[in-house]
Structure formats: C-alpha cells, structure tokens
Amino acid sequence: MSKFEIGDRVTVRNLPALFHTRTQGYTRGHTGVVVGLRPKWVIPEDEAWGRYEGRREPFYMVRFNQRELWPDYGGAVIDTLETEFSERWLESAAAENTAGKTP
Amino acid sequence: MNTSHQHTDAHTPIEGRDEAIEFEILETAVRELSIAKGLFSAEDHRRFMEWYDNIGPTGGARVVARAWVDPQFKQRLLADGVAACKELGIDWMAPTGHGTPSDFTWLVACENTPKLHNVIVCTLCSCYPRPLLGHSPAWYERPNYRRRVVRWPRQVLAEFGLIIPPDVEIRVHDSNQKTRYIVLPMRPSDTEGWSEEKLATIVTRDTMIGVAVPRIDWTTTSTPSGQARAE
Amino acid sequence: MSSTLYAALLQSIRAHAPQERHEADLPLTISQRRAEAMLHVVHDLGGQPDGPLDKSLHKTALWEKRTHCTAECLAWRGVWVSEERRRRENDLGETLYFGTPYYARWLLAAAKMLIDKGHITPDELIAKMEEVRAREEDAA
C-alpha cells in the first residue's frame, strides 16, 4: 500500500545530501501536492551504491507551485513544476505543520 | 620508458587537429578489455550501436501526429505511453528486451492546452526519452539549461524565441527518477485536412521538449533563418 | 618589461582580484560555509544562476557514440546500473565533471568502475591504452 494518495499535500524532507542524490536541493523542505503514483522501484540511494536488489519503495509525482520553490520567482503565479520522490523523502504536510517545523 | 613510441612531455597531437585523442584511446581500451573479459560481447555492442543509429525524433513526431488525428490513440498515449508507442512500432524494450539501462520503460506524455505549456528538463543529469526522440541536443545536456529552466522557465523559453503569455501556466517537468517525459504539443489551427504524414513533418524535436511550438512553416527538414541547423 | 610597468601591471591585477580568494593549496582549515559549498553534490544544479544559453549543436563523435553503447552494454550485462554510473560521474569531482565533454564523464566513470570491481587492473588498462595508441599512430 502506498502511504500517500493523489491530492495529498506533502513536504519533501529537508535532509542534507552527500556525494550523490536524486532529490534536488531546490525541492527539500518545500510543500507540494501528489499528482501521480508510480510503481515500486529500487530507491536510488541503493542503486547508486551498487545495491541493485536494494530497498523498493513507491514513487510519487509531486506538483509544486513555482512561488513555493523560489521565493523570488518572477514568472506567473500559476506556474508549476513536477518531479518525483521515493516514499522516504516525503512526509504529510499537515503532520509537519503540527510538529511546528518550518521548511 | 621502453615503449614503441617516445614519450615527451605530452603526446604529439595529430597534425592540424587540436581536439583531444585521449578519450578515443580510452574508449577503445575500455571497450576491447570489456569484451576480452567477457563482460559483454562484440555482438551486444554492435546491436546497441545499431539501435543508436535507428532512434530519432521522427519516432516522436509520428506519435504526436497520430495523437492529433486519433483521439482514442491520444487517450491511450496519455494512459500508457510505452504501450501506445508500441502500436506505432516504437519499442521501448529495445534493444535488450527489457529496455535500455538508462531510459527505462515508463513514459508520460504531457499535453499542452491553451492554458498549459509543458517543458522538460533533467537537472541532475540529462534523462531524456531516447527511444522517442533519439539523442538529446547538446544544450539539453549542458549545465546552463539544467540550472536555469526550473527557476526561470519563461526567460529560457524566450531565449528559444518562445514567449508564453502570463495567463498560460508553464509546467516544468524535472525528470529526476525513472519516468521519461515527452511534450504533446497543440496542433496548429491552420492544418485542417493535413494527412498524418504531413502533420508529422512539423513536429520537431524542440516542440516535444517544449522549447518550441509547431508552426506550419517550420518542418523537420527546413531551416528557418536564425535557427541553428540540425547536426 | 620595465619594473615600473611590471609594478603597474601588478597593481591593476590586484584591483581586479576578488575580495576573497580560495586557493586550492591544501588549506589548514576552511570555514563551515566554504565546506558546505565544496561538499555540494556536483550534479545538483537546478536553480543556480547562469548566463544566456549556448545553443551550439555538436556532431556526436564516434568515441562518444561508442562510449554510450559501452556504458549501456555494461549495464545490460549486469556490471553496473545507470544510477551507479551517475554517482560515479559525481565522484570524478567538479573539475572533471564540468571540464570535459559529456561522454568523457561516462567513459572515466566506466574505466574506474572496471578497476574498482576488479574486472581489470590499472596496469592492464594502461598497457591496453598504449597498445591502442601505437595502433592509431601506425594507422595515421
């Protein structure tokens, strides 16, 4: 079972990256909406380091408003960006808010 | 040093040529050693080279043109891109039987509408829908496009000569995992009665990346003035 | 060049030099800010400022096409996977990552991987390169 459903608001965990990542720095700590579900795949953190039969997780397509990603975004307010995350990188945006953490 | 040629400070460049030969030598060495060690066969490499030569944006253009003339096909394309490509003989499983190692087999077609314009990038490397579009243009692989299009998409598109009105949403697709994307551009309004084959001629590579939109006077073989000539 | 001209030249260079210089000369300590900048994951470029696009097209050279196919064949036959290749491209470091043609990264990553995993030895690779070089020179 997938942890998130289409329409869920999710925040990308704001963890530091070292050596290699598939979670772009510009997405970490930012909140978007799940707009697509992907099949389970081996997470890149395992594939990148030679664990080809590593941990498998669902992936999610998340849509961000560009103003959420870039405070100085100069384009239209309706502009968006979509990119994907494995489950471990996402947490419910609501849960994050109650924990009092700010991105 | 006792080798067949004399080492000086640097290897002598080939007459009249300034480009490094070092990568050619390393490539040949890596390939020949890999084959000699049985890591893959010469036939594997030949098959991949053949595949490489056979892919190109005409595949993507055929898919887009079919989607323009056949609404049912368009729905199938949006629902399952890989299966829809197969209907037109474009096989995402080639050449290995389970796809290429770098391109995988999950395709999402992003449909442009009067209120939405899609554009594709891969900020972390240069993921690209090779089975449909062939090999990416150099600017797609280079850092500048990867750096800027996610944050300044309107400016980058403007540098390609494409001005998107402010009431049209720009949606950037940063291809960072296994999914590959293709833009399904809008059919120009003045193409009524065109055959599928004729429509395919105006679906250029750049219109399927999203840095251009199809125009009836820009075909895959014409070179509009001011536009870079295809390789 | 006269010494006065030389002094004037030095002064002019100093006027154009950046306020803060980072010499890659094994510094004894570096600031936290600098450490974070240097440890930034090389390929994570999204949102960095840059100048106008260079839309030059490039005719793929034979070695580039062959490199693509070699890297893919190595993955096809289970020697590595593409995500590992990308990580190994980062491992080359910023100078090689940004300073060489696109497929040079693939190639250098593949060569180091073959050595790392024990498929070939460094001396085998060097000997093979010298053999190829001699062959090319004979052909030229």
Side-chain angles (χ1 to χ4, degrees):
Chain A
M1 253 323 266
S2 300
K3 190 173 165 190
F4 304 106
E5 300 294 330
I6 287 177
D8 284 356
R9 279 172 55 77
V10 288
T11 301
V12 184
R13 296 176 71 197
N14 197 5
L15 297 172
L18 196 59
F19 308 132
H20 186 73
T21 186
R22 293 311 293 184
T23 303
Q24 307 91 322
Y26 73 82
T27 65
R28 292 191 214 117
H30 293 280
T31 297
V33 177
V34 174
V35 293
L37 307 177
R38 302 283 181 256
K40 281 190 177 183
W41 279 308
V42 178
I43 58 172
E45 288 80 358
D46 280 351
E47 277 198 325
W49 298 93
R51 289 183 284 273
Y52 309 142
E53 303 302 325
R55 294 163 286 179
R56 298 174 77 86
E57 284 183 14
F59 284 69
Y60 301 87
M61 169 62 71
V62 178
R63 182 180 302 161
F64 300 90
N65 189 285
Q66 287 278 33
R67 299 256 160 143
E68 159 69 15
L69 293 176
W70 317 105
D72 60 350
Y73 186 72
V77 290
I78 50 178
D79 289 355
T80 54
L81 180 142
E82 291 186 359
T83 191
E84 290 170 300
F85 304 92
S86 66
E87 197 162 272
R88 67 182 45 240
W89 278 98
L90 299 177
E91 52 197 10
S92 163
E96 158 130 333
N97 289 344
T98 54
K101 282 184 277 180
T102 48
Chain B
M1 198 185 281
N2 185 22
T3 56
S4 58
H5 66 285
Q6 279 298 306
H7 279 271
T8 51
D9 286 346
H11 287 287
T12 319
I14 294 170
E15 186 103 4
R17 174 187 154 145
D18 187 38
E19 200 177 313
I21 57 165
E22 211 56 25
F23 301 125
E24 292 172 31
I25 289 169
L26 181 58
E27 186 284 322
T28 306
V30 165
R31 174 169 37 87
E32 291 186 359
L33 282 173
S34 296
I35 292 169
K37 300 282 176 181
L39 300 178
F40 59 81
S41 69
E43 168 65 8
D44 289 345
H45 200 270
R46 187 203 62 74
R47 275 169 67 187
F48 235 104
M49 292 285 277
E50 192 174 42
W51 173 84
Y52 188 114
D53 283 334
N54 284 333
I55 54 172
T58 50
R62 286 198 293 125
V63 169
V64 170
R66 175 64 60 87
W68 282 349
V69 299
D70 181 346
Q72 269 95 44
F73 176 80
K74 187 175 95 176
Q75 289 313 313
R76 293 198 295 278
L77 175 66
L78 296 174
D80 184 346
V82 169
C85 288
K86 190 78 192 293
E87 292 180 37
L88 299 188
I90 296 158
D91 186 5
W92 281 70
M93 302 300 160
T96 68
H98 46 82
T100 80
S102 295
D103 305 301
F104 303 98
T105 51
W106 193 266
L107 172 71
V108 170
C110 308
E111 186 183 14
N112 284 352
T113 72
K115 287 290 165 204
L116 175 67
H117 181 85
N118 294 284
V119 59
I120 300 168
V121 64
C122 167
T123 57
L124 294 175
C125 42
S126 51
C127 298
Y128 191 71
R130 284 193 193 87
L132 265 188
L133 297 190
H135 298 281
S136 44
W139 53 258
Y140 184 92
E141 296 164 355
R142 292 173 71 191
N144 191 310
Y145 181 74
R146 292 163 51 192
R147 286 183 174 124
R148 292 174 58 223
V149 76
V150 286
R151 185 171 180 177
W152 297 281
R154 288 175 184 270
Q155 288 86 340
V156 170
L157 294 184
E159 286 173 35
F160 282 95
L162 182 62
I163 309 291
I164 302 294
D167 62 337
V168 175
E169 172 186 340
I170 294 189
R171 185 173 296 161
V172 180
H173 299 266
D174 188 353
S175 181
N176 69 332
Q177 304 283 359
K178 309 283 191 195
T179 309
R180 298 292 173 265
Y181 302 88
I182 182 178
V183 175
L184 177 54
M186 281 190 291
R187 177 174 173 172
S189 54
D190 36 7
T191 55
E192 287 87 19
W194 284 32
S195 69
E196 192 178 325
E197 290 70 28
K198 190 175 177 191
L199 286 169
T201 64
I202 58 169
V203 186
T204 63
R205 177 196 67 201
D206 289 359
T207 69
M208 293 179 280
I209 299 174
V211 298
V213 294
R215 289 173 43 160
I216 56 166
D217 54 339
W218 286 8
T219 70
T220 46
T221 50
S222 73
T223 306
S225 60
Q227 291 292 300
R229 187 177 292 274
E231 64 180 51
Chain C
M1 191 186 290
S2 75
S3 60
T4 33
L5 264 176
Y6 184 66
L9 181 65
L10 272 187
Q11 200 175 1
S12 141
I13 289 169
R14 281 194 199 102
H16 289 93
Q19 296 273 317
E20 192 188 353
R21 298 183 62 194
H22 302 295
E23 286 182 32
D25 190 29
L26 293 189
L28 299 176
T29 63
I30 59 173
S31 69
Q32 173 64 16
R33 191 162 149 248
R34 177 101 186 116
E36 285 175 7
M38 293 189 81
L39 291 176
H40 178 81
V41 179
V42 175
H43 70 154
D44 190 7
L45 305 182
Q48 294 175 354
D50 204 340
L53 279 170
D54 173 5
K55 296 195 279 292
S56 308
L57 294 174
H58 166 68
K59 180 103 182 85
T60 306
L62 183 58
W63 74 266
E64 295 175 309
K65 177 172 151 180
R66 284 175 169 165
T67 294
H68 180 95
C69 295
T70 294
E72 294 286 77
C73 284
L74 287 168
W76 179 6
R77 298 308 179 192
V79 183
W80 65 353
V81 299
S82 56
E83 196 55 34
E84 180 185 358
R85 166 176 54 73
R86 298 183 190 113
R87 187 267 296 174
R88 288 174 177 277
E89 289 173 33
N90 278 341
D91 289 350
L92 295 171
E94 205 166 345
T95 305
L96 283 172
Y97 187 97
F98 292 112
T100 57
Y102 175 71
Y103 276 113
R105 296 208 304 267
W106 287 47
L107 180 59
L108 292 165
K112 281 178 99 170
M113 179 275 292
L114 291 175
I115 295 170
D116 280 352
K117 297 195 175 187
H119 294 299
I120 60 173
T121 58
D123 46 293
E124 256 180 317
L125 180 59
I126 290 164
K128 188 70 177 177
M129 286 180 73
E130 292 304 277
E131 178 203 313
V132 174
R133 198 186 306 278
R135 212 197 291 162
E136 296 293 313
E137 283 174 2
D138 285 350

